[in-house]
């Protein structure tokens, strides 16, 4: 039922169309400003029932002025909430976890989410303050705004997350002239993120064998982007934008500077290397005296952190290496929804 409903609304793509639909719908309801026409109980019900989560990855964590500018942009709309921020200085990378609701027109088609304009405002601030040519870090990246992924929460659907991903992608591609590659549910054939990254050389370090610096790829892309130009701005790079069910990120510190050994372990843990199904890994330098295995758990309810930790410890012992307890870089979907409701409760009570 949900899939059929959203398929019939697939023509709603551009931000102008989204805004027009939202305005027309709200004008029918009231002459008041957007959503002031809704009483508090209705606003609270909307925010509880249809939530989307956006994880926005930006290639910077050392420039405080840039991060301050991005975070000021995030606060322009109080109906979007930053529920978590994870930054890593060695990786020179930050991830913001944002949550807001999704609204529909009278026929049930998605027409608006505060996440759209918040993400675009944050992207604009990032492009204005960060130059990829001057960036370096121990984590791979292909753009200033490197990755944007939307997850459904509560009663929202994956189709709704994909709709918003495609809407944001069109705006970033056109407004900022940045090539955008869609992935997972936002892509017409469900193309995987790691497949696109391999095609674009994401996993190949270009500095000292373990760091990424500047834009190291050709300015004319080998693959046609889904949105935006074929030519890359070296200052901005490209962006990946997708929609997918919840993915957990879990990092395991290895107490060694031997990044080759860490990469061997990471490969043997990953599904690609014949290890754990639905697990993707990267072996990375992390600071001056350690390395780390960064893991994406694509189906965390099937293969969770405990199995990953056990497998890493077993393989590291064979290499004579010590392993610390791993850590999640974000909250669970349930905790994220709960934190969102607490943070917006003062606005609706």
């Amino acid at each position: 039922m949900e899939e059929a409903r959203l398929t019939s609304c697939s023509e709603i793509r551009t931000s102008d169309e989204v805004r027009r639909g939202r305005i027309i719908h709200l004008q029918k309801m009231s002459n008041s400003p957007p959503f002031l026409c809704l009483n508090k109980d209705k606003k609270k019900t909307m925010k509880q029932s249809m939530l989307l989560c956006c994880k926005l990855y930006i290639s910077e964590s050392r420039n405080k002025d840039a991060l301050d500018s991005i975070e000021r942009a995030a606060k322009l709309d109080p109906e979007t909430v930053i529920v978590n921020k994870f930054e890593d200085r060695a990786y020179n990378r930050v991830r913001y976890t944002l949550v807001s609701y999704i609204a529909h027109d009278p026929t049930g088609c998605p027409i608006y989410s505060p996440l759209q304009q918040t993400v675009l405002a944050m992207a604009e601030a990032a492009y204005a303050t960060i130059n990829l040519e001057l960036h370096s870090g121990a984590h791979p990246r292909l753009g200033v705004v490197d990755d944007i992924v939307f997850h459904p929460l509560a009663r929202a659907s994956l189709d709704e997350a994909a709709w918003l991903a495609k809407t944001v992608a069109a705006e970033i591609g056109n407004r900022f002239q940045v090539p955008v590659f869609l992935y997972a549910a936002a892509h017409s054939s469900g193309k995987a993120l790691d497949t696109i990254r391999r095609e674009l050389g994401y996993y190949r370090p270009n500095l000292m064998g373990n760091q990424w610096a500047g834009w190291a790829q050709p300015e004319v892309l080998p693959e046609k982007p889904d949105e935006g130009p074929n030519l890359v701005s070296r200052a901005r790079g490209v962006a990946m934008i997708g929609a997918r069910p919840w993915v957990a990120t879990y990092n395991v510190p290895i107490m060694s500077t031997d990044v080759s050994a860490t990469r061997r372990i990471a490969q043997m843990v990953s599904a690609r290397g014949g290890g754990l199904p639905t697990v993707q890994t990267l072996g990375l330098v992390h600071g001056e005296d350690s390395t780390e295995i960064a893991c994406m758990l694509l189906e965390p309810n099937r293969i969770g952190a405990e199995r990953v930790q056990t497998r890493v410890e077993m393989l590291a012992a064979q290499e004579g290496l010590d392993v610390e307890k791993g850590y999640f870089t974000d909250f669970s979907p349930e905790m994220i929804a709960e934190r969102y409701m607490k943070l917006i409760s003062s606005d609706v009570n």
Side-chain angles (χ1 to χ4, degrees):
M1 180 69 72
E2 278 291 311
E3 185 174 352
R5 172 174 68 79
L6 286 168
T7 300
S8 67
C9 305
S10 61
E11 71 276 5
I12 303 176
R13 281 293 305 274
T14 70
S15 61
D16 287 342
E17 289 171 329
V18 169
R19 282 193 288 270
R20 283 200 300 271
R22 177 193 180 208
I23 291 168
I24 290 169
H25 176 45
L26 291 170
Q27 285 176 341
K28 288 179 180 178
M29 295 172 66
S30 170
N31 290 324
S32 304
F35 291 105
L36 293 182
C37 55
L38 300 178
N39 62 38
K40 290 179 180 178
D41 288 342
K42 190 169 290 186
K43 286 174 68 179
K44 188 169 184 178
T45 299
M46 177 192 296
K47 291 177 180 180
Q48 284 177 322
S49 62
M50 293 285 189
L51 298 180
L52 293 177
C53 173
C54 173
K55 293 187 178 183
L56 173 60
Y57 293 83
I58 293 174
S59 300
E60 185 57 67
S61 67
R62 303 168 188 169
N63 184 334
K64 184 178 184 300
D65 290 340
L67 298 187
D68 287 346
S69 176
I70 293 164
E71 289 163 28
R72 282 195 300 271
K75 295 175 182 176
L76 294 176
D77 189 335
E79 293 190 306
T80 299
V81 175
I82 297 178
V83 297
N84 196 21
K85 173 186 175 183
F86 179 78
E87 55 187 321
D88 193 298
R89 189 171 180 82
Y91 293 157
N92 204 5
R93 185 174 176 86
V94 63
R95 187 210 57 235
Y96 295 99
T97 303
L98 310 160
V99 177
S100 195
Y101 60 84
I102 184 166
H104 304 78
D105 70 11
T107 68
C109 293
I111 58 168
Y112 174 72
S113 172
L115 279 171
Q116 178 186 343
Q117 293 307 318
T118 300
V119 170
L120 291 170
M122 294 174 75
E124 183 174 23
Y127 289 131
T129 56
I130 302 167
N131 183 342
L132 192 67
E133 278 292 274
L134 305 178
H135 178 274
S136 64
H139 196 288
R141 75 291 181 278
L142 287 168
V144 167
V145 179
D146 194 56
D147 183 20
I148 303 173
V149 59
F150 292 92
H151 302 292
L153 296 176
R155 291 179 54 244
S157 71
L158 185 58
D159 286 328
E160 288 163 329
W163 166 81
L164 186 54
K166 289 183 281 190
T167 301
V168 169
E171 287 230 38
I172 286 182
N174 294 324
R175 185 192 301 186
F176 304 119
Q177 286 299 288
V178 169
V180 177
F181 292 86
L182 296 170
Y183 67 88
H187 188 273
S188 58
S189 65
K191 194 170 185 178
L193 175 60
D194 63 325
T195 299
I196 301 170
R197 284 174 163 175
R198 284 189 174 84
E199 291 172 349
L200 297 178
Y202 175 87
Y203 298 105
R204 294 195 294 268
N206 66 325
L207 181 66
M208 299 184 297
N210 55 38
Q211 301 278 319
W212 284 259
W215 173 259
Q217 310 302 325
E219 292 182 5
V220 178
L221 292 167
E223 302 290 332
K224 180 177 172 57
D226 297 287
E227 299 287 353
N230 286 332
L231 192 65
V232 180
S233 159
R234 301 180 71 87
R236 295 184 173 184
V238 305
M240 309 289 162
I241 301 181
R244 66 199 318 175
W246 188 259
V247 172
T249 47
Y250 183 76
N251 295 348
V252 184
I254 308 294
M255 305 315 294
S256 169
T257 58
D258 186 350
V259 68
S260 295
T262 298
R263 287 173 179 162
R264 285 195 300 272
I265 296 168
Q267 183 177 13
M268 289 186 285
V269 171
S270 71
R272 184 178 175 84
L276 297 172
T278 72
V279 174
Q280 296 177 352
T281 62
L282 279 173
L284 302 169
V285 169
H286 194 246
E288 295 181 356
D289 57 359
S290 67
T291 51
E292 187 168 79
I293 299 178
C295 306
M296 290 180 64
L297 313 183
L298 302 184
E299 297 182 29
N301 292 331
R302 177 184 172 193
I303 305 292
E306 186 174 344
R307 286 188 63 182
V308 170
Q309 183 76 32
T310 300
R311 181 64 62 93
V312 170
E313 289 176 357
M314 179 191 73
L315 294 169
Q318 296 172 5
E319 298 269 358
L321 303 179
D322 293 328
V323 176
E324 288 191 347
K325 178 66 176 175
Y327 59 95
F328 288 101
T329 70
D330 211 344
F331 302 113
S332 68
E334 296 77 17
M335 289 179 65
I336 285 172
E338 181 180 347
R339 286 173 68 88
Y340 167 77
M341 290 309 304
K342 285 181 179 178
L343 289 167
I344 58 93
S345 61
S346 61
D347 180 50
V348 298
N349 289 330

